[in-house]
Amino acid sequence: MRFLSSTLVLIAAGLLVANAAVGAKPTVGQPAPEFSGTDSNGIEHSLAQYRGKFVVLEWTNDGCPYVGKHYGTGNMQALQKKYGDQGVVWLSIISSAPGRQGYADGARANKLTQDREAAPSAVLLDPDGIIGQLYGAKTTPHMFVIDSEGTLLYMGGIDSIPTANWDDVPKAENYVSAALDEARAGIPVSKAVTRPYGCSVKYGS
Amino acid sequence: MRVTIERFIERALVAAIAIATVIPMGGLADAVASEIDSSVVATDRARVTLISDQTAIRAGSAFWVGLRIELAPGWHTYWRNPGDAGNPAKIDWDLPQSLVAGTIRWPRPERIPSGPLMSFGYHDSVVLLTRMSAFELPPSADTVEIRARASWLVCAEICVPEGGDLALVIPTSAVAVAGKAEAAGEIENFRMRLPGPTLTEGAFRITGGRIELSIPTRSTSSARLEDVWFFPGEYGLVEHAAPQTWTTDTGNLDIALTPGEFPISPNDVLEGLLAVRYEDGSEASWDITATAMPTN
């Protein structure tokens, strides 16, 4: 019994540490918050396992017209393929709660990837919104770029024109590719924080 | 009969043009389905029209034109800073040379929390106001036609971008007696919700990981405050969803804000809207620009 209670204390202490980590807001130039999550095929991924590679986090909700703009035009898939081919890890994350717009179980997430001919490295399922709230993900899309040492390089919108208008895609400056290209060329990221735009992330209450 | 058919074809053409102008706003027909009249854009979610406070336009006068967005229950649209998600409405005016439009004046918004996120916007109905100035009117003109291509986003559980072309035809004073239009009362109601003159006496400092915004209380009123909220004018400097604490103990109105994602520096200007509710239930708001307090 005594063993049990001290174990409980330790667990509680562990939770406090975890909560403290959750409380730290993601800050550009600082280590990106560590997380692990399960993908649409049941495989675990952690940010730590991708040290040595650049990582892109993309919050998504297939029912959101702002997401639709970037998948309908093929823009998002093209970015995923281009940077995936260059060794960048691209994690799409679904933080919609069950019953809310965009929620997907593994099968639905895989079908979406197939139907949209998307090419993320993995689709992480985050129905409890834990990774989403850890990163303060606000919109779909909301984009984060992390360098090979685990430092947060970019957070914000996917590009410079915050509309749902498909015609604006080619006119916009894409902040994600700019951040990836600059950082990998050894140049400081010129726009490191921008306003994310889109639908609200459909967190559970 | 012939005329009727021609009119029918004309209407069909107008509808076709209207659809063509609407589609790009969302890209998907089902996301932006809207029915367009010359002066109304109506969907299941919103009915949008242009209104004015005048029945006749006189050269040398100024008047109000409003983009009126009437929302179905549960739907909202956005303030100029939409908060954590969403987008503000946009109006591109197409005006005769004799008219010049000001910028959109945004009535005081509501806070719309959703889980850990916060939006700023409007439920039920809002009139986004624009001041129009009329210069010389062509002597032959019986009317002036105000045209606008507008887009707005409505959200409930889901978000739908909407938009379309709107028109409002107002007689000139050559043919009509100037007077208050039917919509004048409605425009007046929303004018009452516009922020007061910009307060420039506010100052901020960064202390203990928070932004402390300090405003001389003579700027507000001596009545007792019940609720205070600072709506930042742009994304990034202030965390929209974070609680704001305030006090008048120092003789100023001091509001503690949580910094947002953009690093704030003493060179920044904190711009936004200060909204207050007094104990008697009355409300007021001001535009505000605050600079950093001098450090010494």
Side-chain angles (χ1 to χ4, degrees):
Chain A
M1 197 58 204
R2 177 167 247 182
F3 171 72
L4 181 63
S5 59
S6 55
T7 309
L8 282 174
V9 169
L10 282 175
I11 290 169
L15 282 174
L16 282 176
V17 171
N19 279 333
V22 167
K25 285 194 299 187
T27 305
V28 163
Q30 299 291 314
E34 295 292 348
F35 64 87
S36 60
T38 307
D39 76 11
S40 54
N41 296 308
I43 298 165
E44 282 283 318
H45 298 256
S46 70
L47 182 60
Q49 84 186 66
Y50 293 117
R51 287 294 181 277
K53 293 182 176 229
F54 279 69
V55 178
V56 173
L57 308 180
E58 170 215 347
W59 262 267
T60 192
N61 160 2
D62 67 291
C64 168
Y66 293 85
V67 171
K69 168 189 177 184
H70 292 285
Y71 278 97
T73 54
N75 184 43
M76 195 68 86
Q77 298 94 319
L79 289 167
Q80 291 164 347
K81 288 194 179 88
K82 176 182 172 187
Y83 289 105
D85 287 349
Q86 297 173 18
V88 172
V89 175
W90 187 295
L91 301 174
S92 302
I93 304 178
I94 301 174
S95 295
S96 296
R100 299 204 69 192
Q101 188 189 49
Y103 169 74
D105 60 12
R108 193 173 107 77
N110 285 338
K111 185 166 189 312
L112 278 171
T113 299
Q114 193 183 353
D115 290 351
R116 297 189 294 196
E117 298 178 26
S121 309
V123 180
L124 298 187
L125 305 180
D126 182 42
D128 298 326
I130 291 168
I131 307 172
Q133 296 201 42
L134 178 66
Y135 273 76
K138 295 181 169 72
T139 58
T140 51
H142 192 164
M143 309 297 297
F144 296 78
V145 178
I146 298 160
D147 76 7
S148 54
E149 290 165 1
T151 302
L152 185 62
L153 289 182
Y154 175 77
M155 58 178 171
I158 181 165
D159 66 22
S160 58
I161 305 185
T163 65
N165 186 345
W166 293 22
D167 295 341
D168 288 334
V169 170
K171 299 177 204 160
E173 178 192 356
N174 192 290
Y175 293 142
V176 175
S177 46
L180 283 167
D181 295 347
E182 285 171 341
R184 291 180 309 155
I187 303 167
V189 174
S190 47
K191 289 198 180 70
V193 188
T194 67
R195 173 169 97 90
Y197 73 88
C199 309
S200 60
V201 175
K202 308 302 179 189
Y203 291 117
S205 43
Chain B
M1 191 60 195
R2 188 188 167 81
V3 172
T4 313
I5 288 168
E6 275 173 5
R7 289 205 124 187
F8 174 76
I9 291 169
E10 195 179 298
R11 287 195 76 96
L13 277 173
V14 168
I17 293 163
I19 289 163
T21 60
V22 163
I23 283 172
M25 306 211 172
L28 285 171
D30 61 352
V32 288
S34 56
E35 184 188 305
I36 290 210
D37 196 273
S38 62
S39 57
V40 182
V41 178
T43 68
D44 292 345
R45 301 162 292 271
R47 183 176 185 277
V48 179
T49 45
L50 288 179
I51 57 175
S52 172
D53 62 344
Q54 298 297 319
T55 53
I57 305 302
R58 185 168 43 80
S61 69
F63 59 101
W64 291 97
V65 170
L67 182 78
R68 176 172 60 189
I69 305 176
E70 296 168 290
L71 295 151
W75 292 85
H76 64 264
T77 190
Y78 292 91
W79 187 53
R80 61 186 172 95
N81 171 10
D84 288 332
N87 258 332
K90 192 167 174 286
I91 306 174
D92 290 322
W93 297 106
D94 177 7
L95 300 173
Q97 281 196 334
S98 50
L99 291 187
V100 173
T103 55
I104 299 179
R105 304 285 311 279
W106 303 82
R108 182 175 66 243
E110 309 161 35
R111 279 170 269 171
I112 306 172
S114 167
L117 305 179
M118 175 70 81
S119 295
F120 303 138
Y122 312 95
H123 282 97
D124 303 323
S125 172
V126 66
V127 178
L128 304 179
L129 295 160
T130 299
R131 192 78 171 149
M132 295 275 175
S133 300
F135 294 94
E136 215 161 303
L137 299 169
S140 59
D142 290 344
T143 59
V144 288
E145 186 169 18
I146 295 166
R147 292 179 159 276
R149 172 160 295 183
S151 60
W152 54 91
L153 177 69
V154 294
C155 295
E157 165 64 16
I158 63 166
C159 295
V160 185
E162 298 186 340
D165 293 335
L166 296 155
L168 179 66
V169 177
I170 308 177
T172 61
S173 55
V175 295
V177 178
K180 290 291 175 192
E182 208 177 311
E186 202 173 346
I187 284 186
E188 182 60 22
N189 284 344
F190 283 95
R191 279 183 63 192
M192 302 285 283
R193 280 173 58 182
L194 290 181
T198 304
L199 304 180
T200 54
E201 295 166 300
F204 71 87
R205 63 178 175 167
I206 302 145
T207 169
R210 307 206 73 184
I211 301 168
E212 198 179 286
L213 175 61
S214 193
I215 300 143
T217 40
R218 68 173 180 281
S219 304
T220 55
S221 160
S222 57
R224 287 180 66 88
L225 294 168
E226 190 178 70
D227 188 38
V228 171
W229 195 265
F230 173 72
F231 294 85
E234 284 181 10
Y235 185 89
L237 291 182
V238 172
E239 188 71 47
H240 296 127
Q244 300 182 2
T245 54
W246 57 274
T247 173
T248 52
D249 290 352
T250 62
N252 290 335
L253 171 59
D254 297 319
I255 311 171
L257 306 165
T258 303
E261 293 166 3
F262 291 8
I264 189 165
S265 84
N267 296 325
D268 282 311
V269 172
L270 201 53
E271 177 272 325
L273 179 140
L274 173 70
V276 303
R277 189 175 66 241
Y278 299 105
E279 276 187 347
D280 65 3
S282 62
E283 296 182 307
S285 64
W286 299 266
D287 281 327
I288 179 165
T289 56
T291 51
M293 286 177 203
T295 50
N296 44 32

